[in-house]
């Protein structure tokens, strides 16, 4: 009945006391009603932007939006908090949540609900997450959120490396071996500790061979042997055997033949 009365009063255009908005938001969050919490927090910010609950309301809004899967809204709220409260003792939390929103913006929703391979997607949000986590570790190395941020940076690094390999495979299918080589080499040079390094070295070697760059291919083989001597790209005598490059058959004859087979 009390909640109904509050809603009725608001519908009539009356502004509630600052404390009422805040208490209603907290009650809603504690009960898991993040939509209602967000509504009250938005109204609190609108009517009392410099009130006694302003800073805490901004922090709660980040969390409420994140729980509502409004990840872009959560990132925006965190960004606003950091602009308005650059010296806040909770700045590390806002930085962490801003990075977490970007971290899940592509990966969490795409993989969980759409079945999309995150390495196929634009890595822009992942790079933003990496930057936020990196800033958190730089500015607040002793933060409670630092250990998790560090682990997520490793995960982002591995995803970015795999994304480069995905592009390299794409170029190989189209016989664009120089472009494929550049992508594989980028992984080796920029993500040397990622699990993708072994395959990147294999692709580097094979594309060098396809480009008749024998000396560069030999250098890649030696690098692979030193760092991944157990790689299945070597036979039992440690001779590089690699894997056959398989370009995509894009000839008109192949398209026609496929069409006839389908009929």
């Amino acid at each position: 009945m009390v909640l109904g009365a509050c809603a009725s009063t608001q519908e009539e255009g009356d502004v509630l006391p600052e404390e009422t908005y805040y208490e209603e938001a907290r009650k809603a969050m504690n009960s898991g009603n993040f939509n209602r919490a967000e509504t009250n927090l938005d109204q609190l910010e609108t009517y009392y932007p410099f009130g006694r609950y302003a800073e805490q309301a901004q922090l709660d809004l980040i969390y409420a939006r994140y729980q509502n899967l409004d990840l872009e809204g959560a990132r925006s709220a965190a960004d606003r908090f950091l602009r308005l409260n650059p010296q806040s003792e909770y700045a590390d939390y806002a930085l962490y949540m801003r990075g977490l929103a970007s971290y899940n913006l592509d990966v969490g929703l795409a993989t969980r609900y759409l079945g999309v391979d995150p390495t196929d997607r634009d890595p822009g949000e992942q790079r933003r997450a990496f930057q936020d986590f990196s800033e958190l570790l730089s500015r607040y190395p002793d933060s409670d959120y630092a250990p998790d941020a560090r682990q997520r940076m490793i995960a982002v690094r591995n995803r970015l490396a795999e994304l480069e390999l995905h592009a390299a495979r794409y170029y190989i299918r189209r016989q664009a071996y120089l472009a494929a080589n550049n992508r594989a080499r980028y992984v080796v040079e920029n993500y040397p500790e990622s699990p993708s390094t072994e395959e990147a070295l294999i692709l580097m070697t094979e594309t060098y061979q396809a480009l008749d760059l024998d000396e560069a291919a030999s250098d890649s083989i030696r690098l692979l042997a030193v760092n991944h001597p157990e790689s299945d790209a070597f036979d039992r005598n440690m001779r590089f055997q690699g894997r056959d490059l398989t370009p995509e058959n894009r000839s008109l004859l192949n398209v026609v033949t496929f069409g006839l087979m389908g009929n």
Side-chain angles (χ1 to χ4, degrees):
M1 291 176 61
V2 172
L3 292 177
C6 290
S8 176
T9 304
Q10 289 176 261
E11 289 175 357
E12 294 171 5
D14 293 339
V15 177
L16 300 178
E18 178 185 8
E19 186 173 359
T20 301
Y21 287 122
Y22 181 73
E23 290 300 327
E24 291 301 323
R26 297 300 297 179
K27 289 178 186 177
M29 290 179 70
N30 290 336
S31 65
N33 189 346
F34 295 103
N35 279 322
R36 182 165 183 80
E38 200 174 333
T39 298
N40 280 279
L41 292 169
D42 282 333
Q43 290 171 333
L44 178 58
E45 277 208 278
T46 298
Y47 298 124
Y48 304 98
F50 306 106
R52 57 182 294 203
Y53 299 105
E55 183 175 352
Q56 184 60 50
Q58 292 165 19
L59 290 168
D60 289 345
L61 185 60
I62 298 171
Y63 182 74
R65 287 181 176 176
Y66 183 84
Q67 290 296 329
N68 264 336
L69 298 182
D70 179 10
L71 301 181
E72 291 183 354
R75 182 176 177 87
S76 176
D79 193 53
R80 182 171 183 270
F81 177 87
L82 290 168
R83 287 199 313 271
L84 296 176
N85 310 277
Q87 305 302 322
S88 170
E89 62 179 308
Y90 303 110
D92 61 333
Y93 171 79
L95 257 178
Y96 172 73
M97 290 300 294
R98 191 171 74 176
L100 195 61
S102 284
Y103 179 87
N104 286 297
L105 193 58
D106 287 338
V107 179
L109 297 181
T111 304
R112 187 180 307 170
Y113 298 112
L114 303 177
V116 176
D117 183 351
T119 62
D120 289 350
R121 298 170 62 83
D122 186 330
E125 289 299 332
Q126 294 300 292
R127 296 187 193 281
R128 292 173 77 184
F130 191 92
Q131 182 178 354
D132 285 333
F133 293 143
S134 179
E135 184 179 350
L136 171 64
L137 294 178
S138 175
R139 292 174 56 186
Y140 309 102
D142 299 323
S143 168
D144 291 341
Y145 309 103
D148 187 68
R150 190 174 291 109
Q151 291 302 311
R152 290 181 189 277
M153 286 178 69
I154 294 173
V156 170
R157 178 203 66 192
N158 293 342
R159 286 176 188 142
L160 293 175
E162 179 55 34
L163 182 68
E164 295 296 328
L165 287 188
H166 182 83
R169 298 184 200 106
Y170 170 86
Y171 286 125
I172 285 173
R173 290 197 299 269
R174 283 152 179 76
Q175 302 182 49
Y177 297 125
L178 180 58
N181 182 275
N182 287 337
R183 292 294 187 130
R185 185 155 44 85
Y186 185 87
V187 172
V188 174
E189 293 174 352
N190 293 276
Y191 309 114
E193 297 179 0
S194 77
S196 299
T197 305
E198 179 185 349
E199 185 173 355
L201 284 167
I202 294 171
L203 293 181
M204 273 180 61
T205 302
E206 292 177 328
T207 50
Y208 276 136
Q209 291 174 340
L211 294 166
D212 294 324
L213 298 173
D214 297 334
E215 184 176 351
S218 297
D219 290 341
S220 295
I221 291 172
R222 282 193 291 271
L223 195 57
L224 179 65
V226 169
N227 291 278
H228 302 281
E230 75 294 343
S231 174
D232 62 6
F234 295 113
D235 62 18
R236 64 179 60 186
N237 297 314
M238 287 300 291
R239 288 192 297 262
F240 181 80
Q241 55 187 2
R243 305 160 187 154
D244 292 332
L245 299 182
T246 53
E248 187 176 75
N249 190 341
R250 306 177 70 197
S251 68
L252 180 60
L253 178 61
N254 183 65
V255 174
V256 172
T257 303
F258 180 79
L260 291 174
M261 290 174 63
N263 292 332

